[in-house]
Amino acid sequence: MELCCPGWSWRKLCAVKDKLKQGYCGDWWLTHGGIYIIKAGYTWLGTSHNNVNWNPFVWNRLSPPKHCFIGWLVVHGRLLIRDRLHKMHICEDIACCICGNQDESHAHLFFECAYSRECLSLINASLKINVPTGNVVQWWLKLRMRSILRKQMIGAVIQALVYRLWDMHNKCRVEGVLMRPSNLILLVQQDIRLRLQGLNSCRKISGLYKAWI
Ligand SMILES: [Zn+2]
């Protein structure tokens, strides 16, 4: 009988199982506070992980979950962008499928590409902010604003832009279509408006930001 090599997911599950087994076999749970609960198990498994400072940016309550998820993949550099696909021997061409001028990477797409830079400059102009083309998360973390809600909204706008750029990139790659930057910004505005309406937070936003959505 031919034996198959186990996949990555299965190997990871087995590794977690072996680690949890230590907790049970050595009565670790009993000697450290009693019965097993999921929270304690999660903390126990995650003790070797370093804390990250991008949590408030990625897991922003004003961002819809799908935006947070794409933002989380971006901070880990895990989107299936052409430079990664090339390393996996999945694609030969690594030129950006939007501009075609440079290699496609996370840094290029967010926001060195001429197309994404133009989208970002439209956001900057309309909200009177100055989001840079690199180190966006660090820029946001250092941003000092009187209103926490406004700061959260700026973070959500950037994350919505990242989501829409990724969506546009995929459409461009598959269908060969590219939307005007101004139309893409309309989608970003719509995403933020719907999210704020869903959270009933529209009335708390005022001035320029309210007018924008
Ligand atoms: Zn490009």
Side-chain angles (χ1 to χ4, degrees):
M1 188 175 71
E2 192 180 333
L3 290 172
C4 297
C5 184
W8 180 89
S9 318
W10 186 249
R11 288 200 305 274
K12 283 282 175 192
L13 278 173
C14 288
V16 169
K17 180 203 75 176
D18 288 342
K19 180 149 192 210
L20 282 172
K21 212 159 95 180
Q22 296 166 23
Y24 284 109
C25 294
D27 287 337
W28 192 90
W29 304 111
L30 291 174
T31 54
H32 288 77
I35 57 167
Y36 172 81
I37 54 171
I38 291 173
K39 187 182 173 190
Y42 181 79
T43 308
W44 191 57
L45 281 172
T47 47
S48 58
H49 295 168
N50 295 325
N51 287 336
V52 292
N53 66 354
W54 44 253
N55 264 350
F57 178 82
V58 170
W59 306 113
N60 182 345
R61 72 180 190 92
L62 298 189
S63 293
K66 61 183 181 180
H67 293 191
C68 296
F69 178 66
I70 294 298
W72 179 71
L73 289 177
V74 171
V75 294
H76 283 292
R78 303 296 283 181
L79 286 180
L80 289 177
I81 283 177
R82 280 184 168 173
D83 65 343
R84 286 195 70 223
L85 294 173
H86 182 70
K87 282 180 195 152
M88 296 175 193
H89 306 286
I90 294 174
C91 89
E92 289 286 310
D93 184 10
I94 58 169
C96 170
C97 69
I98 294 180
C99 69
N101 290 332
Q102 286 173 318
D103 291 354
E104 193 178 285
S105 64
H106 283 77
H108 176 74
L109 208 54
F110 314 110
F111 298 91
E112 290 168 2
C113 180
Y115 180 84
S116 54
R117 260 205 329 261
E118 192 175 342
C119 293
L120 189 63
S121 66
L122 288 173
I123 297 266
N124 277 335
S126 51
L127 287 179
K128 300 201 185 315
I129 50 178
N130 195 19
V131 184
T133 53
N135 287 324
V136 172
V137 177
Q138 295 309 317
W139 173 85
W140 183 83
L141 288 170
K142 287 178 188 160
L143 187 63
R144 293 278 169 267
M145 297 196 88
R146 226 179 283 167
S147 162
I148 298 287
L149 192 65
R150 281 194 174 196
K151 180 169 173 172
Q152 283 181 324
M153 187 175 152
I154 290 171
V157 168
I158 296 168
Q159 203 148 234
L161 178 60
V162 166
Y163 175 85
R164 286 295 169 186
L165 280 170
W166 177 238
D167 188 50
M168 188 74 261
H169 160 275
N170 292 337
K171 284 198 175 81
C172 188
R173 186 160 71 186
V174 176
E175 300 166 20
V177 293
L178 190 61
M179 195 181 273
R180 280 186 190 164
S182 54
N183 288 343
L184 189 123
I185 299 305
L186 291 178
L187 294 177
V188 171
Q189 283 174 279
Q190 180 183 283
D191 288 344
I192 298 297
R193 184 169 57 248
L194 290 175
R195 180 65 177 173
L196 288 174
Q197 282 171 351
L199 295 171
N200 210 9
S201 297
C202 277
R203 62 195 165 77
K204 296 177 192 161
I205 296 278
S206 58
L208 175 69
Y209 289 69
K210 180 142 193 159
W212 190 73
I213 56 166

